[in-house]
Amino acid sequence: MKLLGNKVAFVSGASRGIGSGIVLGLAKQGASIAFTYRSSSAEAEAIEKELQSYGVKAKAFQLDAANYEQTEKIIQQVIADFGSLDIIVNNAGITKDNLLMRMTEEAWDEVMQTNLKSVFNVVKASQRQLLKQRSGSIINISSVVGDSGNAGQANYAASKAGMNGFTKSVAKELGSRGIRCNAIAPGFIETEMTQGLSKEQKEMWLANIPLKRGGTPEDIANLVVFIASDMSSYITGQVINVCGGMQT
Ligand code: NAP
């Protein structure tokens, strides 16, 4: 029996990397999938087809996650097309790394808008539907640096720390209505986001990982499936690390 049959999932930023791993994991467990991308339309189309090959309904939407009005329209469209909204995964995110000395105001704003405001946008626009259903699992893809901080990532770490605070607040606010909200904090995951790191930076990350490998999108997707499912029905308000033991 599939874990997520009859459930509808909305996942942001699933044209590649961790997001594409997440939608595949959810589809394999029978969930219908609405997902977004910003500019990778060919990749999104290919993923849409791959998801449909698992026998589930799947549709890609172009969206700038930082834009509230666009987000509200797409969430309404998803509810109209799919009939409900059971799982929300806020995954879209970017980095604009630099030491604070060299960090521009634009780099600060862009990261906060894409990584943090986007989460407010989606949850705010979906809240009425979740309250009506009296159920839902919201999963925010954070980062271990939201807790630890990281030199060169003041904007990114602040956006993820903000996400963790938002997650815990929403869990407290909506728990009595059957709505859960958790964050998953990946460590070093091999995607385009981490491809840009220098050899030295990668070696430094790997040296601090007890399991001695970078993570895969599937490592994150496996926990998303569990948190999305009713098997985790007593878990809310948590930030759960998936980092090969790097952060202990
Ligand atoms: P990635 O490979 O760079 O993929 C990012 C995804 O987000 C893409 O689908 C991209 O769409 C989408 N996106 C970016 N900006 C967007 C916007 N304004 N509106 C809508 N979609 C947007 O990144 P990743 O490594 O998979 O990371 C996914 C999430 O995991 C992020 O939140 C990241 O912070 C978090 N994370 C990653 C790592 C890691 O080591 N990789 C570690 C900790 C946390 P397009 O393809 O159309 O641009």
mmCIF file of all heavy atoms in Angstrom, residues 12-19 36-40 63-66 90-94 114-115 141-144 156 160 185-194, ligand 1:
data_model
loop_
_atom_site.group_PDB
_atom_site.id
_atom_site.type_symbol
_atom_site.label_atom_id
_atom_site.label_comp_id
_atom_site.label_asym_id
_atom_site.label_seq_id
_atom_site.Cartn_x
_atom_site.Cartn_y
_atom_site.Cartn_z
ATOM 1 N N SER A 12 7.551 23.726 -3.975
ATOM 2 C CA SER A 12 8.159 24.856 -4.702
ATOM 3 C C SER A 12 9.585 24.498 -5.128
ATOM 4 O O SER A 12 10.292 23.769 -4.425
ATOM 5 C CB SER A 12 8.156 26.118 -3.828
ATOM 6 O OG SER A 12 9.072 25.984 -2.778
ATOM 7 N N GLY A 13 9.984 25.009 -6.298
ATOM 8 C CA GLY A 13 11.367 24.844 -6.755
ATOM 9 C C GLY A 13 11.754 23.407 -7.000
ATOM 10 O O GLY A 13 12.730 22.914 -6.438
ATOM 11 N N ALA A 14 10.981 22.718 -7.889
ATOM 12 C CA ALA A 14 11.243 21.286 -8.081
ATOM 13 C C ALA A 14 11.742 20.963 -9.483
ATOM 14 O O ALA A 14 11.638 19.833 -9.934
ATOM 15 C CB ALA A 14 9.977 20.493 -7.756
ATOM 16 N N SER A 15 12.320 21.942 -10.176
ATOM 17 C CA SER A 15 12.824 21.674 -11.528
ATOM 18 C C SER A 15 14.179 20.971 -11.499
ATOM 19 O O SER A 15 14.637 20.466 -12.519
ATOM 20 C CB SER A 15 12.927 22.984 -12.315
ATOM 21 O OG SER A 15 13.510 23.994 -11.531
ATOM 22 N N ARG A 16 14.833 20.953 -10.356
ATOM 23 C CA ARG A 16 16.149 20.304 -10.241
ATOM 24 C C ARG A 16 16.489 20.115 -8.767
ATOM 25 O O ARG A 16 15.718 20.533 -7.893
ATOM 26 C CB ARG A 16 17.236 21.101 -10.962
ATOM 27 C CG ARG A 16 17.343 22.539 -10.525
ATOM 28 C CD ARG A 16 18.111 23.384 -11.546
ATOM 29 N NE ARG A 16 17.900 24.804 -11.321
ATOM 30 C CZ ARG A 16 18.651 25.568 -10.542
ATOM 31 N NH1 ARG A 16 19.670 25.052 -9.902
ATOM 32 N NH2 ARG A 16 18.380 26.849 -10.399
ATOM 33 N N GLY A 17 17.656 19.492 -8.532
ATOM 34 C CA GLY A 17 18.197 19.387 -7.176
ATOM 35 C C GLY A 17 17.285 18.675 -6.190
ATOM 36 O O GLY A 17 16.596 17.711 -6.531
ATOM 37 N N ILE A 18 17.274 19.170 -4.970
ATOM 38 C CA ILE A 18 16.523 18.526 -3.887
ATOM 39 C C ILE A 18 15.031 18.489 -4.207
ATOM 40 O O ILE A 18 14.358 17.482 -3.971
ATOM 41 C CB ILE A 18 16.788 19.280 -2.557
ATOM 42 C CG1 ILE A 18 18.259 19.086 -2.138
ATOM 43 C CG2 ILE A 18 15.849 18.805 -1.463
ATOM 44 C CD1 ILE A 18 18.683 19.898 -0.923
ATOM 45 N N GLY A 19 14.512 19.578 -4.793
ATOM 46 C CA GLY A 19 13.073 19.648 -5.103
ATOM 47 C C GLY A 19 12.645 18.550 -6.048
ATOM 48 O O GLY A 19 11.590 17.928 -5.859
ATOM 49 N N THR A 36 6.467 23.958 -8.639
ATOM 50 C CA THR A 36 6.834 25.216 -9.296
ATOM 51 C C THR A 36 8.306 25.221 -9.691
ATOM 52 O O THR A 36 9.111 24.423 -9.197
ATOM 53 C CB THR A 36 6.580 26.437 -8.384
ATOM 54 O OG1 THR A 36 7.532 26.420 -7.315
ATOM 55 C CG2 THR A 36 5.169 26.433 -7.816
ATOM 56 N N TYR A 37 8.619 26.143 -10.587
ATOM 57 C CA TYR A 37 9.993 26.404 -10.989
ATOM 58 C C TYR A 37 10.040 27.889 -11.336
ATOM 59 O O TYR A 37 8.995 28.530 -11.508
ATOM 60 C CB TYR A 37 10.388 25.550 -12.211
ATOM 61 C CG TYR A 37 9.558 25.858 -13.432
ATOM 62 C CD1 TYR A 37 10.030 26.728 -14.420
ATOM 63 C CD2 TYR A 37 8.279 25.333 -13.582
ATOM 64 C CE1 TYR A 37 9.253 27.042 -15.527
ATOM 65 C CE2 TYR A 37 7.501 25.650 -14.685
ATOM 66 C CZ TYR A 37 7.981 26.503 -15.655
ATOM 67 O OH TYR A 37 7.208 26.832 -16.730
ATOM 68 N N ARG A 38 11.217 28.447 -11.451
ATOM 69 C CA ARG A 38 11.324 29.869 -11.800
ATOM 70 C C ARG A 38 11.614 30.053 -13.279
ATOM 71 O O ARG A 38 10.893 30.741 -13.969
ATOM 72 C CB ARG A 38 12.398 30.546 -10.962
ATOM 73 C CG ARG A 38 12.517 32.049 -11.246
ATOM 74 C CD ARG A 38 13.602 32.661 -10.399
ATOM 75 N NE ARG A 38 14.817 31.861 -10.458
ATOM 76 C CZ ARG A 38 15.917 32.142 -9.797
ATOM 77 N NH1 ARG A 38 15.960 33.192 -9.002
ATOM 78 N NH2 ARG A 38 16.984 31.377 -9.896
ATOM 79 N N SER A 39 12.664 29.365 -13.789
ATOM 80 C CA SER A 39 13.035 29.584 -15.198
ATOM 81 C C SER A 39 13.360 28.304 -15.967
ATOM 82 O O SER A 39 13.408 28.330 -17.188
ATOM 83 C CB SER A 39 14.224 30.548 -15.268
ATOM 84 O OG SER A 39 15.255 30.069 -14.441
ATOM 85 N N SER A 40 13.572 27.179 -15.283
ATOM 86 C CA SER A 40 13.966 25.943 -15.984
ATOM 87 C C SER A 40 12.745 25.231 -16.556
ATOM 88 O O SER A 40 12.353 24.151 -16.072
ATOM 89 C CB SER A 40 14.691 24.998 -15.026
ATOM 90 O OG SER A 40 15.736 25.648 -14.368
ATOM 91 N N LEU A 63 6.608 30.180 -11.444
ATOM 92 C CA LEU A 63 6.301 31.104 -10.344
ATOM 93 C C LEU A 63 7.573 31.703 -9.764
ATOM 94 O O LEU A 63 8.530 30.974 -9.505
ATOM 95 C CB LEU A 63 5.566 30.324 -9.227
ATOM 96 C CG LEU A 63 5.381 31.023 -7.881
ATOM 97 C CD1 LEU A 63 4.376 32.165 -7.985
ATOM 98 C CD2 LEU A 63 4.927 30.050 -6.798
ATOM 99 N N ASP A 64 7.567 32.997 -9.546
ATOM 100 C CA ASP A 64 8.627 33.585 -8.730
ATOM 101 C C ASP A 64 8.148 33.502 -7.290
ATOM 102 O O ASP A 64 7.226 34.224 -6.886
ATOM 103 C CB ASP A 64 8.881 35.037 -9.133
ATOM 104 C CG ASP A 64 9.934 35.678 -8.228
ATOM 105 O OD1 ASP A 64 10.461 34.982 -7.344
ATOM 106 O OD2 ASP A 64 10.212 36.871 -8.404
ATOM 107 N N ALA A 65 8.767 32.603 -6.523
ATOM 108 C CA ALA A 65 8.307 32.312 -5.167
ATOM 109 C C ALA A 65 8.265 33.551 -4.275
ATOM 110 O O ALA A 65 7.551 33.589 -3.279
ATOM 111 C CB ALA A 65 9.206 31.250 -4.541
ATOM 112 N N ALA A 66 9.032 34.576 -4.636
ATOM 113 C CA ALA A 66 9.090 35.788 -3.810
ATOM 114 C C ALA A 66 7.856 36.676 -3.997
ATOM 115 O O ALA A 66 7.647 37.608 -3.216
ATOM 116 C CB ALA A 66 10.345 36.583 -4.158
ATOM 117 N N ASN A 90 7.987 23.740 1.083
ATOM 118 C CA ASN A 90 8.629 24.991 0.679
ATOM 119 C C ASN A 90 10.116 24.714 0.509
ATOM 120 O O ASN A 90 10.867 24.662 1.483
ATOM 121 C CB ASN A 90 8.387 26.069 1.737
ATOM 122 C CG ASN A 90 6.953 26.534 1.730
ATOM 123 O OD1 ASN A 90 6.435 26.969 0.700
ATOM 124 N ND2 ASN A 90 6.270 26.409 2.865
ATOM 125 N N ASN A 91 10.500 24.512 -0.758
ATOM 126 C CA ASN A 91 11.880 24.101 -1.049
ATOM 127 C C ASN A 91 12.669 25.141 -1.836
ATOM 128 O O ASN A 91 13.895 25.185 -1.750
ATOM 129 C CB ASN A 91 11.837 22.775 -1.837
ATOM 130 C CG ASN A 91 13.172 22.427 -2.450
ATOM 131 O OD1 ASN A 91 14.089 21.981 -1.768
ATOM 132 N ND2 ASN A 91 13.313 22.666 -3.758
ATOM 133 N N ALA A 92 11.973 26.001 -2.613
ATOM 134 C CA ALA A 92 12.687 26.958 -3.477
ATOM 135 C C ALA A 92 13.666 27.780 -2.644
ATOM 136 O O ALA A 92 13.308 28.285 -1.572
ATOM 137 C CB ALA A 92 11.698 27.887 -4.179
ATOM 138 N N GLY A 93 14.891 27.904 -3.120
ATOM 139 C CA GLY A 93 15.871 28.672 -2.354
ATOM 140 C C GLY A 93 17.085 28.989 -3.200
ATOM 141 O O GLY A 93 17.367 28.314 -4.189
ATOM 142 N N ILE A 94 17.790 30.040 -2.800
ATOM 143 C CA ILE A 94 19.009 30.448 -3.514
ATOM 144 C C ILE A 94 20.095 30.820 -2.500
ATOM 145 O O ILE A 94 19.798 31.048 -1.317
ATOM 146 C CB ILE A 94 18.760 31.684 -4.420
ATOM 147 C CG1 ILE A 94 18.163 32.865 -3.606
ATOM 148 C CG2 ILE A 94 17.854 31.337 -5.598
ATOM 149 C CD1 ILE A 94 18.181 34.190 -4.340
ATOM 150 N N THR A 114 13.450 35.342 -1.561
ATOM 151 C CA THR A 114 13.272 34.024 -2.194
ATOM 152 C C THR A 114 13.186 32.916 -1.146
ATOM 153 O O THR A 114 12.390 31.988 -1.285
ATOM 154 C CB THR A 114 14.442 33.728 -3.168
ATOM 155 O OG1 THR A 114 14.506 34.785 -4.113
ATOM 156 C CG2 THR A 114 14.240 32.412 -3.900
ATOM 157 N N ASN A 115 14.000 32.989 -0.122
ATOM 158 C CA ASN A 115 14.063 31.877 0.839
ATOM 159 C C ASN A 115 13.047 32.001 1.977
ATOM 160 O O ASN A 115 12.532 30.992 2.450
ATOM 161 C CB ASN A 115 15.464 31.801 1.470
ATOM 162 C CG ASN A 115 16.543 31.464 0.458
ATOM 163 O OD1 ASN A 115 16.277 31.406 -0.736
ATOM 164 N ND2 ASN A 115 17.744 31.264 0.934
ATOM 165 N N ILE A 141 12.038 23.476 3.813
ATOM 166 C CA ILE A 141 13.410 23.006 3.637
ATOM 167 C C ILE A 141 14.364 24.123 4.078
ATOM 168 O O ILE A 141 14.553 25.121 3.392
ATOM 169 C CB ILE A 141 13.686 22.555 2.183
ATOM 170 C CG1 ILE A 141 12.652 21.503 1.741
ATOM 171 C CG2 ILE A 141 15.109 22.011 2.075
ATOM 172 C CD1 ILE A 141 12.592 20.223 2.560
ATOM 173 N N SER A 142 14.926 23.911 5.251
ATOM 174 C CA SER A 142 15.813 24.883 5.885
ATOM 175 C C SER A 142 17.264 24.526 5.571
ATOM 176 O O SER A 142 17.572 24.095 4.452
ATOM 177 C CB SER A 142 15.515 24.875 7.391
ATOM 178 O OG SER A 142 16.315 25.790 8.063
ATOM 179 N N SER A 143 18.150 24.661 6.519
ATOM 180 C CA SER A 143 19.563 24.279 6.348
ATOM 181 C C SER A 143 20.195 24.205 7.729
ATOM 182 O O SER A 143 19.786 24.949 8.639
ATOM 183 C CB SER A 143 20.303 25.340 5.526
ATOM 184 O OG SER A 143 21.704 25.129 5.632
ATOM 185 N N VAL A 144 21.214 23.363 7.877
ATOM 186 C CA VAL A 144 21.918 23.307 9.169
ATOM 187 C C VAL A 144 22.518 24.661 9.527
ATOM 188 O O VAL A 144 22.668 24.992 10.701
ATOM 189 C CB VAL A 144 23.020 22.219 9.194
ATOM 190 C CG1 VAL A 144 22.427 20.829 9.175
ATOM 191 C CG2 VAL A 144 24.028 22.398 8.075
ATOM 192 N N TYR A 156 21.951 34.055 3.861
ATOM 193 C CA TYR A 156 21.352 32.713 3.717
ATOM 194 C C TYR A 156 21.031 32.110 5.099
ATOM 195 O O TYR A 156 19.928 31.608 5.329
ATOM 196 C CB TYR A 156 22.338 31.833 2.955
ATOM 197 C CG TYR A 156 21.865 30.426 2.682
ATOM 198 C CD1 TYR A 156 20.951 30.158 1.662
ATOM 199 C CD2 TYR A 156 22.350 29.347 3.418
ATOM 200 C CE1 TYR A 156 20.532 28.859 1.399
ATOM 201 C CE2 TYR A 156 21.949 28.049 3.158
ATOM 202 C CZ TYR A 156 21.041 27.810 2.137
ATOM 203 O OH TYR A 156 20.632 26.524 1.875
ATOM 204 N N LYS A 160 17.321 31.124 6.758
ATOM 205 C CA LYS A 160 16.966 29.782 7.230
ATOM 206 C C LYS A 160 16.631 29.798 8.733
ATOM 207 O O LYS A 160 15.763 29.049 9.179
ATOM 208 C CB LYS A 160 18.095 28.790 6.924
ATOM 209 C CG LYS A 160 18.375 28.612 5.431
ATOM 210 C CD LYS A 160 17.177 28.105 4.646
ATOM 211 C CE LYS A 160 17.526 27.756 3.209
ATOM 212 N NZ LYS A 160 16.364 27.259 2.444
ATOM 213 N N ALA A 185 16.392 20.252 7.871
ATOM 214 C CA ALA A 185 17.634 21.016 7.690
ATOM 215 C C ALA A 185 18.696 20.124 7.059
ATOM 216 O O ALA A 185 19.364 19.343 7.759
ATOM 217 C CB ALA A 185 18.111 21.572 9.027
ATOM 218 N N PRO A 186 18.870 20.220 5.729
ATOM 219 C CA PRO A 186 19.924 19.425 5.091
ATOM 220 C C PRO A 186 21.301 19.971 5.454
ATOM 221 O O PRO A 186 21.459 21.169 5.734
ATOM 222 C CB PRO A 186 19.668 19.619 3.588
ATOM 223 C CG PRO A 186 18.286 20.194 3.464
ATOM 224 C CD PRO A 186 18.070 20.973 4.735
ATOM 225 N N GLY A 187 22.285 19.080 5.391
ATOM 226 C CA GLY A 187 23.683 19.500 5.537
ATOM 227 C C GLY A 187 24.231 19.784 4.152
ATOM 228 O O GLY A 187 23.718 20.643 3.437
ATOM 229 N N PHE A 188 25.257 19.029 3.742
ATOM 230 C CA PHE A 188 25.887 19.229 2.434
ATOM 231 C C PHE A 188 25.279 18.229 1.452
ATOM 232 O O PHE A 188 25.520 17.028 1.540
ATOM 233 C CB PHE A 188 27.400 19.011 2.570
ATOM 234 C CG PHE A 188 28.144 19.156 1.285
ATOM 235 C CD1 PHE A 188 28.469 20.407 0.796
ATOM 236 C CD2 PHE A 188 28.515 18.039 0.545
ATOM 237 C CE1 PHE A 188 29.150 20.553 -0.407
ATOM 238 C CE2 PHE A 188 29.199 18.174 -0.650
ATOM 239 C CZ PHE A 188 29.510 19.436 -1.123
ATOM 240 N N ILE A 189 24.460 18.735 0.518
ATOM 241 C CA ILE A 189 23.779 17.869 -0.453
ATOM 242 C C ILE A 189 24.318 18.193 -1.842
ATOM 243 O O ILE A 189 24.446 19.370 -2.205
ATOM 244 C CB ILE A 189 22.239 18.088 -0.422
ATOM 245 C CG1 ILE A 189 21.692 18.046 1.018
ATOM 246 C CG2 ILE A 189 21.538 17.065 -1.318
ATOM 247 C CD1 ILE A 189 21.848 16.732 1.753
ATOM 248 N N GLU A 190 24.627 17.149 -2.611
ATOM 249 C CA GLU A 190 25.256 17.376 -3.925
ATOM 250 C C GLU A 190 24.209 17.769 -4.970
ATOM 251 O O GLU A 190 23.487 16.918 -5.478
ATOM 252 C CB GLU A 190 26.021 16.110 -4.337
ATOM 253 C CG GLU A 190 26.971 15.662 -3.233
ATOM 254 C CD GLU A 190 28.370 15.352 -3.703
ATOM 255 O OE1 GLU A 190 28.722 15.753 -4.819
ATOM 256 O OE2 GLU A 190 29.100 14.701 -2.943
ATOM 257 N N THR A 191 24.109 19.089 -5.235
ATOM 258 C CA THR A 191 23.198 19.639 -6.246
ATOM 259 C C THR A 191 23.912 20.795 -6.939
ATOM 260 O O THR A 191 25.053 21.123 -6.585
ATOM 261 C CB THR A 191 21.912 20.208 -5.600
ATOM 262 O OG1 THR A 191 22.265 21.372 -4.848
ATOM 263 C CG2 THR A 191 21.202 19.202 -4.717
ATOM 264 N N GLU A 192 23.217 21.461 -7.870
ATOM 265 C CA GLU A 192 23.827 22.623 -8.539
ATOM 266 C C GLU A 192 24.212 23.701 -7.533
ATOM 267 O O GLU A 192 25.158 24.449 -7.726
ATOM 268 C CB GLU A 192 22.857 23.210 -9.571
ATOM 269 C CG GLU A 192 22.904 22.475 -10.890
ATOM 270 C CD GLU A 192 21.943 23.050 -11.914
ATOM 271 O OE1 GLU A 192 21.888 24.269 -12.077
ATOM 272 O OE2 GLU A 192 21.241 22.230 -12.544
ATOM 273 N N MET A 193 23.429 23.788 -6.426
ATOM 274 C CA MET A 193 23.716 24.820 -5.421
ATOM 275 C C MET A 193 25.103 24.638 -4.828
ATOM 276 O O MET A 193 25.803 25.603 -4.544
ATOM 277 C CB MET A 193 22.650 24.783 -4.318
ATOM 278 C CG MET A 193 22.786 25.870 -3.303
ATOM 279 S SD MET A 193 21.460 25.882 -2.082
ATOM 280 C CE MET A 193 20.262 26.915 -2.857
ATOM 281 N N THR A 194 25.541 23.392 -4.640
ATOM 282 C CA THR A 194 26.844 23.139 -4.015
ATOM 283 C C THR A 194 27.946 22.882 -5.046
ATOM 284 O O THR A 194 29.127 22.868 -4.695
ATOM 285 C CB THR A 194 26.755 21.937 -3.043
ATOM 286 O OG1 THR A 194 26.024 20.884 -3.670
ATOM 287 C CG2 THR A 194 26.054 22.320 -1.761
HETATM 288 P P1 NAP B 1 19.130 24.171 -6.648
HETATM 289 O O1 NAP B 1 19.675 22.914 -7.236
HETATM 290 O O2 NAP B 1 19.815 25.447 -6.920
HETATM 291 O O3 NAP B 1 17.573 24.273 -7.064
HETATM 292 C C1 NAP B 1 16.813 25.379 -6.629
HETATM 293 C C2 NAP B 1 15.381 25.230 -7.070
HETATM 294 O O4 NAP B 1 14.653 26.380 -6.593
HETATM 295 C C3 NAP B 1 15.212 25.216 -8.578
HETATM 296 O O5 NAP B 1 14.120 24.385 -8.911
HETATM 297 C C4 NAP B 1 14.880 26.686 -8.907
HETATM 298 O O6 NAP B 1 14.095 26.876 -10.095
HETATM 299 C C5 NAP B 1 14.038 27.048 -7.688
HETATM 300 N N1 NAP B 1 14.008 28.494 -7.449
HETATM 301 C C6 NAP B 1 15.038 29.318 -7.171
HETATM 302 N N2 NAP B 1 14.603 30.580 -7.035
HETATM 303 C C7 NAP B 1 13.259 30.541 -7.227
HETATM 304 C C8 NAP B 1 12.234 31.510 -7.206
HETATM 305 N N3 NAP B 1 12.483 32.816 -6.970
HETATM 306 N N4 NAP B 1 10.966 31.112 -7.445
HETATM 307 C C9 NAP B 1 10.684 29.815 -7.681
HETATM 308 N N5 NAP B 1 11.605 28.847 -7.705
HETATM 309 C C10 NAP B 1 12.875 29.210 -7.489
HETATM 310 O O7 NAP B 1 19.070 24.068 -5.051
HETATM 311 P P2 NAP B 1 19.034 22.791 -4.076
HETATM 312 O O8 NAP B 1 20.414 22.486 -3.675
HETATM 313 O O9 NAP B 1 18.189 21.724 -4.661
HETATM 314 O O10 NAP B 1 18.298 23.437 -2.806
HETATM 315 C C11 NAP B 1 16.905 23.289 -2.548
HETATM 316 C C12 NAP B 1 16.614 23.788 -1.147
HETATM 317 O O11 NAP B 1 17.416 23.069 -0.195
HETATM 318 C C13 NAP B 1 16.946 25.265 -0.961
HETATM 319 O O12 NAP B 1 15.965 25.874 -0.148
HETATM 320 C C14 NAP B 1 18.279 25.236 -0.246
HETATM 321 O O13 NAP B 1 18.487 26.376 0.535
HETATM 322 C C15 NAP B 1 18.127 23.980 0.611
HETATM 323 N N6 NAP B 1 19.410 23.408 1.016
HETATM 324 C C16 NAP B 1 20.297 22.917 0.103
HETATM 325 C C17 NAP B 1 21.504 22.390 0.546
HETATM 326 C C18 NAP B 1 22.523 21.795 -0.395
HETATM 327 O O14 NAP B 1 23.592 21.415 0.090
HETATM 328 N N7 NAP B 1 22.268 21.692 -1.672
HETATM 329 C C19 NAP B 1 21.814 22.380 1.906
HETATM 330 C C20 NAP B 1 20.902 22.893 2.806
HETATM 331 C C21 NAP B 1 19.697 23.406 2.351
HETATM 332 P P3 NAP B 1 14.838 27.119 -11.540
HETATM 333 O O15 NAP B 1 15.494 25.797 -11.882
HETATM 334 O O16 NAP B 1 13.727 27.416 -12.479
HETATM 335 O O17 NAP B 1 15.821 28.221 -11.320
#
